[in-house]
Amino acid sequence: MHFLVYFIFSVLLLSIQTTLLPAFPRFFAQYDLMIPFVVYLTLFRSSNGILPVVLISGCLMDLLSGGSIGIYISAYILILICFRHAKVYFHFKNAILFQIVIILSVLIENIIFALVIFFQTFTFHFSFYSGCILVTQLLWALVSSPLIYYIFEYVFNEVDKLVTGGLREKV
Amino acid sequence: MFSKKMMVAVGAVVLISLYIIVFSFAYLRHVSFGGAATRTALFLASPFQAAISSSMNFMDDIWSHYFFLIFVSRENDELKKKLAQAENKNSQCREIELLNLRLREFVKLKEQSPFHLEAAEVIAKDASPWYKTIIINKGMDDGVSDGCPVIVSEGIVGYVLTASSSDSKVILIIDRNSSVDALVQRTRTRGLAQGIPKGLCRFDYALRKLDVKIGDNVVSSGFDGIYPKGLRIGYISKIIRRNAGLFQDVELTPYVDFTKLEEVMVILSSPLEDNVGD
């Protein structure tokens, strides 16, 4: 049941960021919304069914995006691996942790993108425009992640209530 | 001496005569005693009339601006609702008008173009700012296949990267992985229009010695096997000629505004292919 909810949620996020967000000026549409979702699943949800959801989400993103196939899957898997293990060292759960991890994840995704582009062209061309995109993404990650955290908390608490009758899913 | 009947008859005749005389000289009122009497009457009555009238206006004012406010407030609410509906309808009409204009351009393009065109709507855009692709709502069921060029009336948009049964992914010419074999219309200088991240194109491999000017129109050459010859790409907006090197650095601004793409045309087949088929 949780898997189904995660899957629907990821499709919803994907639809929002490919249809709704591009309607805004590019400044507001720089941010991969799937990252907070993957990070939230990684840090605050149990392992059951996360990997398939992350794989499917990455696959969908890869198929719909113009980038090389596998770029999003790699980014999400790397985020999952990195922070699944790092979670052991953090025994607290709050929006600040989420915020820091989101910023790091955005950096990871962009590094993967940069590496893929580098291997495609064998030239490293870091323009002012690229710098602006990166900085804007990081700023948006900083600003929006606490809000996204509380939205996810609310939504998944409601989902837990619906699925398990009020018991929170064991992390 | 006179009977009572006689008295009544004479009295009636005198009264009628008096009436006739008075009405016959009615115009005298304006110039004689009548006029003065009227003025006096007006002088006396008008302050009271004005007072009563202003009192009535005051009462009416109080009624309509205070007691009646409750009705006005309701009416205001109703009017606000109606205004909102009208504005909404106006916006829809404006939207339809703009759509109509765009579709008219498309119809014109379809009529003038020698190619078989299929109109499609842009339903999604790439989630990543690093890549420039769009999803359109036409696929293999509509005759769209991989590699079909996509255009609008302003110029080339891109080509179909992957077509599914009902939708297709289109790579835009401003994507870094896209390139169009192009030539400068004025001098026939050949080059490669390649996408760059900031939403423009680079006109690569234009020899330094060749004549290229800012504002020159760049069109597709038709040699890349995707885009038919002569389709508009953009204009040259920046040239850097270095002292060394074979080529000049030329920047190309596409005619198409990719941020406002809503409908596109897919070229299904060229006239040449039709002839081959025949």
Side-chain angles (χ1 to χ4, degrees), chain B residues 28-192:
Chain B
L28 290 174
R29 278 194 317 167
H30 301 292
V31 289
S32 62
F33 173 75
T38 308
R39 276 194 292 274
T40 312
L42 281 174
F43 175 74
L44 290 172
S46 62
F48 297 101
Q49 283 174 332
I52 291 167
S53 181
S54 62
S55 303
M56 280 178 70
N57 284 341
F58 178 68
M59 293 304 288
D60 183 51
D61 211 37
I62 286 176
W63 174 254
S64 55
H65 287 98
Y66 188 75
F67 292 113
F68 202 63
L69 267 186
I70 189 162
F71 304 112
V72 172
S73 174
R74 280 177 197 158
E75 195 183 357
N76 196 29
D77 290 344
E78 285 295 315
L79 287 174
K80 271 184 182 170
K81 269 185 203 166
K82 280 182 184 169
L83 182 68
Q85 283 170 354
E87 275 177 353
N88 192 24
K89 204 163 187 176
N90 192 28
S91 166
Q92 282 174 355
C93 287
R94 179 78 189 134
E95 202 58 32
I96 290 167
E97 192 186 337
L98 290 172
L99 178 71
N100 191 18
L101 283 174
R102 289 200 303 270
L103 293 180
R104 270 172 198 272
E105 284 290 316
F106 271 31
V107 169
K108 210 192 293 172
L109 180 70
K110 204 168 181 175
E111 281 169 357
Q112 288 170 355
S113 173
F115 311 108
H116 290 166
L117 300 175
E118 179 73 34
E121 200 179 329
V122 178
I123 54 169
K125 289 182 180 174
D126 205 309
S128 166
W130 303 111
Y131 298 102
K132 314 285 182 192
T133 57
I134 53 170
I135 311 281
I136 57 172
N137 67 344
K138 291 287 163 74
M140 287 190 287
D141 293 348
D142 309 285
V144 177
S145 57
D146 294 1
C148 281
V150 179
I151 58 169
V152 287
S153 52
E154 289 89 1
I156 295 178
V157 171
Y159 70 91
V160 175
L161 201 60
T162 318
S164 73
S165 57
S166 58
D167 304 294
S168 304
K169 183 160 74 175
V170 177
I171 185 164
L172 306 180
I173 56 166
I174 51 169
D175 187 281
R176 64 173 81 237
N177 295 317
S178 163
S179 47
V180 187
D181 198 311
L183 46 89
V184 177
Q185 205 168 34
R186 185 176 59 85
T187 58
R188 318 310 284 174
T189 305
R190 266 187 73 188
L192 207 62

Side-chain angles (χ1 to χ4, degrees), chain A residues 10 14 17-18 32 34 53-78 109 112-113 116 120, chain B residues 125-128 130-135 161-162 169-171 175 177:
Chain A
S10 69
L14 188 140
Q17 67 176 349
T18 52
D32 181 6
M34 209 61 90
V53 171
V54 170
L55 283 173
I56 291 169
S57 306
C59 193
L60 283 174
M61 286 294 286
D62 276 328
L63 291 173
L64 291 178
S65 169
S68 310
I69 293 289
I71 194 167
Y72 281 98
I73 291 183
S74 314
Y76 298 157
I77 294 287
L78 198 63
E109 194 185 67
I112 290 173
F113 278 9
V116 169
Q120 278 174 349
Chain B
K125 289 182 180 174
D126 205 309
S128 166
W130 303 111
Y131 298 102
K132 314 285 182 192
T133 57
I134 53 170
I135 311 281
L161 201 60
T162 318
K169 183 160 74 175
V170 177
I171 185 164
D175 187 281
N177 295 317

